[in-house]
Amino acid sequence: MVGMSGPYVVRASVSLPEAELMWRFSRSSGPGGQHVNTSDSQVELRFDLARTEALPEVWKARALERLAGRLVDGVVAVRASEHRSQWRNRETAAVRLAALLAEATAPPPKQRRPTRIPRGINERRLREKKQRSQTKRGRDGRDWG
């Protein structure tokens, strides 16, 4: 592939090797016109996540766990058909796959340390609630003689 803008970087120095990407092309659905029945512009990009050597083991395990619902036999697939040109759809699919893997391999967020709500804030909240309650009770039409 000459001119492809790869290699597609997942994160840091890790990128997707071109040899492990499986491309499939088909006709896009939707309205057409001239040229529509002859061009295979929809792109499906498949990447064998279970057998790849490109990702560190920790990342791979994390991605396999997080993408479990999307995997078919350890292979993750991404489709792109929004552009009329197959070339642009290839670019879109590859970028989408890299982004998906970057998100799936990201380290888990730090645990939140629970903090106590300051007493002043809680008291102010209760005072404002009571005030609001009084305002609404004052709207009651009982005393309107």
Side-chain angles (χ1 to χ4, degrees):
M1 294 291 124
V2 179
M4 270 304 261
S5 68
Y8 298 98
V9 177
V10 176
R11 224 165 354 98
S13 60
V14 179
S15 58
L16 300 175
E18 192 66 45
E20 291 188 23
L21 301 179
M22 297 167 278
W23 299 92
R24 207 166 86 198
F25 308 101
S26 57
R27 295 194 182 114
S28 291
S29 61
Q34 292 177 332
H35 188 62
V36 73
N37 295 328
T38 57
S39 61
D40 291 343
S41 62
Q42 177 172 288
V43 173
E44 183 180 0
L45 173 57
R46 299 162 61 80
F47 179 68
D48 195 341
L49 187 57
R51 286 187 264 291
T52 186
E53 298 296 317
L55 300 176
E57 278 306 311
V58 180
W59 288 20
K60 193 157 87 169
R62 208 180 283 156
L64 284 169
E65 184 186 329
R66 290 185 183 164
L67 297 175
R70 282 191 70 145
L71 299 177
V72 179
D73 296 332
V75 177
V76 64
V78 173
R79 267 206 179 96
S81 62
E82 48 271 8
H83 302 292
R84 287 172 60 175
S85 122
Q86 184 190 98
W87 189 257
R88 286 179 66 196
N89 280 333
R90 286 179 67 129
E91 290 289 304
T92 303
V95 167
R96 215 176 267 169
L97 178 66
L100 183 73
L101 289 175
E103 194 178 316
T105 58
K110 282 195 174 133
Q111 281 275 285
R112 180 186 169 277
R113 272 186 45 222
T115 55
R116 283 192 51 224
I117 298 170
R119 191 190 308 157
I121 289 178
N122 215 10
E123 285 173 359
R124 188 179 69 204
R125 181 182 63 87
L126 293 173
R127 201 169 40 250
E128 286 170 0
K129 276 180 71 160
K130 201 164 278 183
Q131 185 69 47
R132 189 90 186 120
S133 163
Q134 292 295 332
T135 304
K136 288 189 171 190
R137 192 174 295 141
R139 293 182 191 153
D140 199 358
R142 275 181 278 168
D143 298 336
W144 283 32

